[in-house]
Amino acid sequence: MKNRLIKISPKDNLLVALEDIAPGEIVDYDGVPYTVTHGVKVKHKIAEHDFNTGDIVVMYGLPVGKTLEPIGKGEVITTENIVHHTGAFSKSSGGYQWSAPDVKAFENRTFNGYKREDGKVGTANNWLVVPLVFCQNRNIRILQEELEDQLGYKRSQSKAIDIAQITAAIQNGASIEDVLDLDVVGLGQQSNRSPFFPNVDGIRFITHDGGCGGTREDAIVLSKLLAGYIANANVAGATILGLGCQNAEVKYINQFLEEFGVLNQKPVYILEQQQSVSERDFIAEAVKMTFAGLMEANKFKRTPQPLSELVIGLECGGSDGFSGISSNPLLGYISDMIVALGGSAILAEFPELNGVEQNIVDRCVKPEYADKFTELIRTYAQRAKEAGSGFEANPSPGNIKDGLITDAMKSAGAALKGGTSPILDVLDYTEVVTKKGLNLLCTPGNDVESTTGLASTGANIILFSTGLGTPTGNPTVPVIKVSSNTDLSERMSDIIDFNAGDIVTGAQSIRERAFELMEYIIEVSSGEQLVKAEKLRQYDFIPWKRGVSL
């Protein structure tokens, strides 16, 4: 008989609905009948027993809320009857033990990557064209239009939307209703590779709204972020456009490139418009330098590399009530596998570690790492309060609608992306990964700001768990979108790369699905598979200004 309810941890006092349950239905779980008084929607929770006002609500074995009123056994948990609540945390008790997963099946496996002069390995070979300041965005767009079109990187062989069909219908006297009934979905864009530079996966053009104005700190952080992108093993080099008087000075870029060990190791061409005689000459010079860089980048070829060279960024966005049951634990298992194979993983999104801090502290291999994490997350929480908000405001309307009622509930499931391995390092935003194993990275929970940070920190592939669906991608790092449920995977197949829904139904175990996902990761890292975000040219880039972003 199919289960209609599930209990995630033996310590929990909530049950998760695996499907819609009508008002008044009696549903058994583990031999106990539950009368679902008012009905419950799929992914939402019911009370395992009667609660009094002020009782602690537990999921994933952790406190995730406190009751605001009495709640009867079988009643639905909502934002009206519970409020965000987390447990306290302190220093580590020490002695954390880890049981690594069995990875013998992958010990001698390789992927075809790009070995750089600094020893790092990329899963892609991209050339970057970036501005130091927002007033260069127009010039970046001009370069993009000219270079992509003439070099063959522009995917224009087929149209995603058949606009001609609409205009033809209007010319023939179609009504508004007729237009709305038209099927104008085209064949979609196809991936092109330049015939001139076959070993270069693409030219990536980044724009942003920073570099001047704001605070000097923001400009320096932006400079370090951009330097991290250039240092990323997926990038062969860069063309950088500045105005000449911006806060994001060239000296900062060079300073951080040297700090990251790639100054003079990669071709980087920096031009400032105020040193040029005209905009046309400025752009022409940028084109020539980009061609010179592409010629250098084209010298790199894919060669077999051990899986220990993978640096996996772990991200979630558009989460739902199944994310903590399927896709996030799946990413956590992959994280543990990568660590066991000698590779690196990066767990970000500090607002979504709210409530699991003790587990994080206990897993830090050195007290100074635990102290750094504690300082970073407490400072972040304090800034949020000073802005009149707080981590409790993190769940989005979509999260709440699909069963993530409190931030603690969301965080307890989101943190599972980090698996169970020890934490080898704690990094502040824009710091770069230097240690093999699991690393923590301080970023906001905002999807794009966080993935932007993961790429700058050194991830050469990103796993992105989602329950509601999101098109988020990155200019330089492949983003593999993993759905928590089968409905999403089928309904939004154009943006989802891998489905974890079989874990919810019990059709497959997390380990079985992890082995299949690992095979897909190897294919993507070898350039044999193109992720959906890449096919859609979804190249999102948003720097985090160190204000409050949840």
Side-chain angles (χ1 to χ4, degrees):
M1 184 169 147
K2 182 174 72 170
N3 287 329
R4 303 182 69 189
L5 297 169
I6 188 173
K7 186 176 181 179
I8 298 172
S9 166
K11 298 179 181 179
D12 292 357
N13 51 27
L14 299 182
L15 300 172
V16 185
L18 298 179
E19 60 182 39
D20 290 344
I21 299 173
E25 274 197 78
I26 299 175
V27 182
D28 277 12
Y29 175 75
D30 200 23
V32 178
Y34 292 86
T35 302
V36 185
T37 313
H38 300 101
V40 61
K41 291 183 178 180
V42 61
K43 307 176 188 177
H44 285 257
K45 291 81 183 170
I46 64 169
E48 184 186 35
H49 56 68
D50 291 340
F51 287 100
N52 295 315
T53 301
D55 285 350
I56 304 301
V57 176
V58 179
M59 269 191 74
Y60 304 98
L62 296 168
V64 297
K66 183 181 290 187
T67 60
L68 295 172
E69 60 187 38
I71 303 173
K73 173 184 172 183
E75 286 192 24
V76 182
I77 302 301
T78 70
T79 53
E80 282 73 40
N81 58 26
I82 74 165
V83 68
H84 170 82
H85 173 78
T86 64
F89 69 99
S90 58
K91 291 188 178 296
S92 171
S93 57
Y96 181 77
Q97 299 293 318
W98 181 52
S99 297
D102 182 358
V103 292
K104 289 180 181 177
F106 292 93
E107 281 180 349
N108 298 314
R109 295 290 299 279
T110 61
F111 70 99
N112 290 322
Y114 296 96
K115 187 73 172 282
R116 304 297 180 189
E117 290 186 19
D118 63 355
K120 296 178 182 177
V121 177
T123 63
N125 188 31
N126 295 310
W127 185 265
L128 271 184
V129 182
V130 299
L132 283 179
V133 61
F134 59 83
C135 57
Q136 289 301 309
N137 286 346
R138 174 179 173 274
N139 290 330
I140 296 291
R141 286 191 287 268
I142 291 172
L143 286 170
Q144 180 173 10
E145 183 177 346
E146 294 295 331
L147 289 169
E148 283 190 340
D149 187 34
Q150 296 188 50
L151 289 179
Y153 288 110
K154 191 172 183 180
R155 299 185 180 97
S156 57
Q157 290 180 336
S158 57
K159 295 181 174 62
I161 303 297
D162 189 358
I163 300 295
Q165 185 184 167
I166 300 177
T167 55
I170 293 173
Q171 287 176 336
N172 291 326
S175 66
I176 292 176
E177 290 74 17
D178 292 334
V179 170
L180 293 175
D181 286 338
L182 290 174
D183 180 4
V184 296
V185 178
L187 296 176
Q189 296 176 325
Q190 303 300 313
S191 173
N192 292 338
R193 186 173 289 272
S194 172
F196 305 102
F197 304 107
N199 296 327
V200 180
D201 294 303
I203 312 175
R204 299 290 180 258
F205 300 85
I206 288 175
T207 58
H208 57 77
D209 64 357
C212 212
T215 66
R216 180 59 62 94
E217 179 191 26
D218 284 341
I220 294 173
V221 169
L222 174 64
S223 300
K224 193 171 184 180
L225 184 79
L226 293 174
Y229 267 70
I230 297 167
N232 189 294
N234 286 12
V235 174
T239 305
I240 303 176
L241 303 187
L243 180 59
C245 58
Q246 68 278 336
N247 283 338
E249 297 180 68
V250 171
K251 69 177 183 181
Y252 295 132
I253 289 288
N254 288 329
Q255 172 190 325
F256 295 127
L257 289 177
E258 183 174 18
E259 179 182 324
F260 299 152
V262 296
L263 185 65
N264 301 322
Q265 295 290 314
K266 291 184 178 184
V268 177
Y269 302 103
I270 303 176
L271 301 92
E272 294 189 318
Q273 191 171 3
Q274 289 172 347
Q275 303 301 316
S276 180
V277 297
S278 71
E279 185 176 273
R280 178 177 293 184
D281 287 342
F282 179 64
I283 292 173
E285 196 67 19
V287 168
K288 288 189 293 182
M289 289 184 172
T290 300
F291 264 86
L294 290 169
M295 292 169 71
E296 287 292 325
N298 198 52
K299 295 176 182 178
F300 287 92
K301 295 182 179 180
R302 290 186 183 270
T303 56
Q305 302 293 330
L307 298 184
S308 58
E309 295 298 336
L310 290 176
V311 184
I312 305 288
L314 303 164
E315 181 69 26
C316 62
S319 299
D320 72 345
F322 284 165
S323 292
I325 298 173
S326 58
S327 51
N328 287 340
L330 174 61
L331 266 57
Y333 199 96
I334 289 289
S335 174
D336 286 348
M337 289 179 68
I338 291 294
V339 171
L341 289 163
S344 304
I346 312 168
L347 177 63
E349 300 181 287
F350 269 34
E352 295 177 12
L353 299 178
N354 183 25
V356 300
E357 293 97 340
Q358 190 63 58
N359 174 265
I360 297 295
V361 165
D362 290 343
R363 289 163 60 187
C364 288
V365 297
K366 293 184 178 180
E368 54 262 39
Y369 298 159
D371 291 344
K372 184 175 181 179
F373 166 71
T374 299
E375 176 65 21
L376 283 169
I377 199 163
R378 283 180 170 162
T379 299
Y380 198 157
Q382 182 60 35
R383 287 184 178 181
K385 289 180 180 179
E386 289 169 355
S389 186
F391 285 167
E392 67 274 8
N394 176 257
S396 70
N399 294 150
I400 295 169
K401 181 180 177 182
D402 260 47
L404 299 178
I405 302 302
T406 69
D407 183 58
M409 187 182 291
K410 180 180 179 180
S411 295
L416 297 176
K417 302 190 303 294
T420 59
S421 67
I423 294 166
L424 274 293
D425 206 354
V426 177
L427 306 171
D428 198 0
Y429 186 67
T430 69
E431 291 183 327
V432 169
V433 168
T434 60
K435 294 183 176 67
K436 298 285 189 178
L438 179 62
N439 295 254
L440 294 187
L441 173 65
C442 183
T443 74
N446 176 281
D447 304 351
V448 177
E449 289 176 331
S450 186
T451 52
T452 297
L454 284 168
S456 179
T457 288
N460 56 17
I461 197 159
I462 294 173
L463 302 182
F464 193 119
S465 162
T466 182
L468 302 175
T470 171
T472 302
N474 184 266
T476 61
V477 181
V479 178
I480 297 176
K481 225 68 62 58
V482 180
S483 67
S484 72
N485 61 89
T486 301
D487 173 68
L488 172 63
S489 179
E490 293 175 347
R491 183 167 40 83
M492 301 184 75
S493 61
D494 58 332
I495 67 170
I496 298 298
D497 298 287
F498 194 87
N499 178 31
D502 285 348
I503 295 171
V504 177
T505 63
Q508 281 189 302
S509 68
I510 290 176
R511 182 175 184 273
E512 288 171 332
R513 207 69 183 116
F515 274 46
E516 293 176 10
L517 179 53
M518 184 66 83
E519 293 289 352
Y520 184 72
I521 290 170
I522 292 171
E523 291 176 359
V524 171
S525 301
S526 300
E528 297 166 5
Q529 290 277 3
L530 207 61
V531 297
K532 300 295 177 62
E534 174 73 21
K535 291 180 179 179
L536 295 171
R537 295 169 59 80
Q538 186 80 26
Y539 301 139
D540 299 310
F541 180 87
I542 302 179
W544 178 33
K545 296 180 180 179
R546 293 303 289 259
V548 176
S549 178
L550 297 175

